[in-house]
């Protein structure tokens, strides 16, 4: 799920690093919103790195739609701003634009916490349905004893989980293929393709965020494998086919990998020595994974195929693919363009279904992944 994480200017800002990690490990898409006050303690860059944010995050960050907003630590200053609806930095702006649960973990000196102004602000927020976690009693950074310490990150994360509840794909098994296969020519050479695996990884992460049990079949990825997702290496078309067929009890299969259509008919053992002559390679077709799955899928199973094609003719071919391969959705992207698709963090696709075609405008691959899974959920 998508979680906005507000960090404000107190010593406890460093503990928000742990909270970021816990939320990311739980499979959430975490968007850090760091106030200028917090930047005096921990840089926004640290949170961006821990949350693995893409470099091209939205310029309208404060308008990001999310399932939950958590502010930890929350200073007396930000608590007051939230109570009164001020919007003078990225976090307070986001708090006004946010619709959904809000969790606030105050952290301040005990005298600031017990001040009637702060008590009143906390009550205003509570009455509005905001969940306050802590503050706890203990010794403050300045050496005073009292109530004011930020609640422990694990307790804040547990509150977040309780409020988010099970995701929309909870209990579903989702199989994702990603990356580009490499077909051996000899011991050192291969036939490969330009797929980076970003689209498949984004799909696996989004399915996981929605609560699914995800298995990722990874051919050669140019991006790190996602943490917390079972990943099986499938370097060749044959290895990927075998792995897909060995996992028949999926609810959804998302076939985002670029699988070789042809491979060398005979693999040469050892390394072919260089000589002055030409080298003719004979290629044979591989087994089509989408067609194989389509042929054996049972009622209720959803198979989504992906098609990289050139131009409008490509879209027409993808429409025919629905019946030819007995798949439920085909995601078409035009590989004739250099600004999207292969090697790019962005994509633009048409999600082709039997009853509907949904064009998705150019966006990050995680946004495209969310749009694809929205369509899958409609069919489930
Ligand atoms: C060393 C230091 C530690 C601070 N710790 C806290 C704190 O724990 N809680 C708090 O409410 N304010 C604390 N403050 C004051 C806030 O940083 C200040 O009110 C700031 O304007 C908060 O901005 P923000 O709420 O936009 O992040 C501290 C200030 C300093 C200099």
């Amino acid at each position: 799920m998508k979680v906005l994480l507000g960090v404000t200017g107190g010593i406890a800002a460093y503990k928000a690093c742990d909270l970021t990690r816990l939320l990311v490990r739980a499979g959430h898409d975490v968007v850090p919103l760091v106030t200028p006050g917090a930047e005096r303690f921990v840089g926004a860059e640290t949170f961006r790195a821990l949350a693995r944010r893409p470099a091209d995050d939205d310029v309208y960050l404060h308008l990001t739609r999310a399932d939950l907003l958590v502010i930890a630590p929350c200073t007396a200053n930000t608590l007051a701003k939230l109570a009164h609806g001020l919007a003078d930095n990225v976090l307070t702006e986001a708090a006004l634009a946010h619709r959904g649960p809000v969790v606030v973990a105050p952290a301040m000196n005990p005298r600031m916490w017990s001040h009637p102004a702060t008590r009143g602000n906390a009550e205003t927020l509570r009455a509005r349905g905001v969940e306050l976690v802590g503050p706890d009693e203990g010794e403050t950074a300045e050496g005073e004893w009292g109530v004011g310490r930020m609640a422990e990150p694990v307790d804040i994360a547990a509150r977040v989980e309780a409020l988010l509840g099970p995701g929309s794909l909870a209990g579903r098994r989702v199989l994702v293929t990603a990356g580009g296969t490499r077909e051996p020519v000899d011991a050192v050479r291969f036939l490969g393709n330009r797929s980076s695996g970003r689209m498949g990884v984004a799909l696996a992460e989004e399915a996981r965020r929605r609560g699914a049990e995800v298995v990722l079949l990874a051919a050669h990825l140019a991006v790190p494998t996602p943490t917390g997702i079972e990943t099986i290496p499938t370097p060749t078309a044959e290895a990927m086919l075998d792995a897909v067929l060995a996992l028949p009890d999926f609810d959804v299969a998302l076939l985002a990998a670029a699988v070789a259509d042809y491979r060398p008919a005979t693999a040469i053992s050892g390394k072919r020595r260089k000589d002055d002559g030409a080298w003719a390679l004979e290629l044979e077709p591989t087994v089509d994974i989408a067609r194989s799955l389509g042929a054996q899928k049972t009622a209720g199973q959803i198979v989504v195929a992906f098609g990289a094609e050139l131009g409008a003719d490509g879209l027409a071919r993808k429409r025919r693919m629905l019946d030819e391969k007995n798949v439920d959705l085909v995601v078409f992207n035009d590989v004739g363009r250099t600004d999207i698709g292969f090697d790019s963090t962005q994509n633009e696709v048409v999600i082709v279904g039997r009853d509907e075609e949904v064009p998705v405008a150019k966006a990050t691959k995680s946004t495209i992944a969310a749009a694809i899974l929205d369509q899958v959920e409609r069919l489930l």
Side-chain angles (χ1 to χ4, degrees):
M1 301 229 188
K2 198 156 205 151
V3 175
L4 301 177
L5 170 63
V7 184
T8 68
I11 297 279
Y14 77 92
K15 287 193 189 171
C17 296
D18 269 349
L19 180 60
T20 311
R21 282 228 282 275
L22 289 171
L23 295 173
V24 168
R25 211 176 294 151
H28 301 302
D29 181 9
V30 179
V31 181
L33 303 171
V34 181
T35 65
E39 288 250 32
R40 292 187 299 160
F41 297 88
V42 185
E45 214 43 55
T46 301
F47 292 103
R48 287 174 57 83
L50 290 173
R52 307 198 194 117
R53 298 307 306 166
D56 53 356
D57 234 342
D58 205 337
V59 282
Y60 295 105
L61 206 54
H62 63 293
L63 298 181
T64 307
R65 288 183 190 274
D67 301 291
L68 184 141
L69 164 66
V70 52
I71 306 177
C74 183
T75 56
N77 177 53
T78 294
L79 201 76
K81 288 185 190 175
L82 294 173
H84 295 280
L86 269 69
D88 63 349
N89 62 38
V90 69
L91 169 60
T92 48
E93 287 157 6
L96 275 190
H98 174 70
R99 298 291 174 269
V102 179
V103 177
V104 167
M108 65 198 72
N109 175 278
R111 282 175 283 139
M112 292 170 84
W113 175 244
S114 62
H115 192 283
T118 307
R119 314 291 320 135
N121 291 332
E123 270 324 303
T124 302
L125 293 176
R126 241 189 225 116
R128 216 182 273 155
V130 171
E131 289 265 341
L132 293 184
V133 186
D136 294 345
E137 188 174 1
E139 194 179 0
T140 62
E142 319 83 81
E144 285 183 39
W145 188 274
V147 177
R149 281 170 61 91
M150 187 177 95
E152 289 306 318
V154 281
D155 296 328
I156 302 168
R159 199 70 216 116
V160 166
E161 291 309 326
L163 282 171
L164 286 175
S168 51
L169 286 175
R172 304 285 192 177
R173 281 177 62 87
V174 174
L175 191 65
V176 183
T177 71
T181 60
R182 291 180 181 177
E183 306 306 319
V185 174
D186 65 10
V188 297
R189 302 178 177 93
F190 59 82
L191 291 179
N193 61 68
R194 285 174 48 206
S195 172
S196 67
R198 282 191 184 89
M199 192 64 240
V201 167
L203 282 162
E205 288 177 328
E206 182 63 24
R208 169 75 202 280
R209 265 195 287 284
R210 295 180 184 211
E213 191 186 321
V214 181
V215 179
L216 177 65
L217 303 183
H220 301 269
L221 304 181
V223 289
T225 51
T227 48
I229 291 178
E230 184 187 349
T231 304
I232 302 172
T234 50
T236 62
E238 192 178 17
M240 191 165 272
L241 176 73
D242 290 348
V244 166
L245 297 181
L247 296 163
D249 59 343
F250 61 86
D251 295 296
V252 181
L254 303 162
L255 307 177
V259 180
D261 296 323
Y262 296 91
R263 66 172 175 208
T266 47
I268 299 165
S269 59
K271 183 183 174 222
R272 184 193 187 275
R273 295 258 297 281
K274 185 180 172 190
D275 57 33
D276 292 336
W279 179 5
L281 267 182
E282 191 192 340
L283 304 180
E284 64 179 14
T286 59
V287 177
D288 188 312
I289 293 179
R291 193 185 294 275
S292 305
L293 267 195
Q296 67 175 55
K297 81 184 174 85
T298 56
Q301 285 187 314
I302 305 287
V303 174
V304 182
F306 286 69
E309 295 254 13
L310 284 166
D313 288 357
L315 182 57
R317 267 195 297 278
K318 295 298 114 177
R319 288 183 186 125
R320 291 198 296 273
M321 211 167 120
L322 285 172
D323 290 328
E324 282 168 9
K325 298 193 181 177
N326 190 33
V327 295
D328 302 278
L329 293 171
V330 178
V331 180
F332 164 72
N333 72 304
D334 189 343
V335 287
R337 289 173 52 179
T338 53
D339 57 332
I340 55 167
F342 282 136
D343 294 336
S344 167
T345 56
Q346 302 220 316
N347 212 349
E348 179 179 321
V349 303
V350 182
I351 306 168
V352 183
R354 286 195 170 74
D355 57 345
E356 204 179 352
E357 283 186 10
V358 180
V360 187
K362 187 174 165 182
T364 60
K365 286 183 176 171
S366 46
T367 303
I368 304 276
I372 292 167
L373 283 171
D374 286 348
Q375 293 307 307
V376 166
E377 285 191 25
R378 213 172 48 79
L379 297 179
L380 272 171

